[in-house]
Amino acid sequence: MSKVMADLAALLVLGEPRRQEIMETLRHGECTVGQITDRLELSQPGVSKHLKVLKDAGLVESRADGPRRLYRIRPEPLLELEEWLAAYRQLWDS
C-alpha cells in the first residue's frame, strides 16, 4: 500500500466517532478493553471490534500483561498523517 493510501486509510478509520473516543481515551495512556468499556460505557464486543480495526490500521498496538492485553496508541502513523496534512495546511491558514 502506498503512503498516501495508508494515510487515507487511517483517516477513514479515524472518521468513526467511537474510534475517535477510543483514541482519545488511549491518548492518556495504556488501557485494557475493560477500562475502555467502563470509561466510554460501550459494550465489550463493540470496543474489541473497534480496537481490531484500529490495530489493523496500525494506529494502536497491544501488549500482554499477564492475562490482560493493554492497548496504546502508536504515534508513528499519526505523525505520518500530520505530515501528509501539512501539505494542505496553506488551504486553511489562508
Side-chain angles (χ1 to χ4, degrees):
M1 179 183 308
S2 73
K3 182 179 174 337
V4 171
M5 293 303 289
D7 292 338
L8 293 176
L11 279 175
L12 288 173
V13 166
L14 291 172
E16 207 288 331
R18 294 296 190 190
R19 292 186 201 126
Q20 292 171 22
E21 291 175 352
I22 291 169
M23 290 292 286
E24 181 62 23
T25 300
L26 293 175
R27 189 173 67 85
H28 301 288
E30 291 182 320
C31 291
T32 64
V33 172
Q35 290 169 325
I36 296 168
T37 298
D38 292 344
R39 290 179 189 167
L40 300 180
E41 298 179 355
L42 298 172
S43 71
Q44 185 276 324
V47 169
S48 292
K49 286 179 185 178
H50 286 303
L51 282 169
K52 180 178 178 354
V53 172
L54 290 165
K55 192 172 181 181
D56 289 348
L59 294 165
V60 301
E61 61 188 4
S62 64
R63 69 177 178 88
D65 180 36
R68 308 178 314 159
R69 298 212 61 79
L70 291 168
Y71 289 85
R72 65 178 166 248
I73 291 176
R74 289 189 64 246
E76 299 86 2
L78 296 174
L79 179 58
E80 292 170 3
L81 185 57
E82 195 274 334
E83 290 170 354
W84 181 79
L85 285 170
Y88 298 91
R89 183 164 285 125
Q90 67 181 348
L91 297 173
W92 65 77
D93 282 347
S94 59

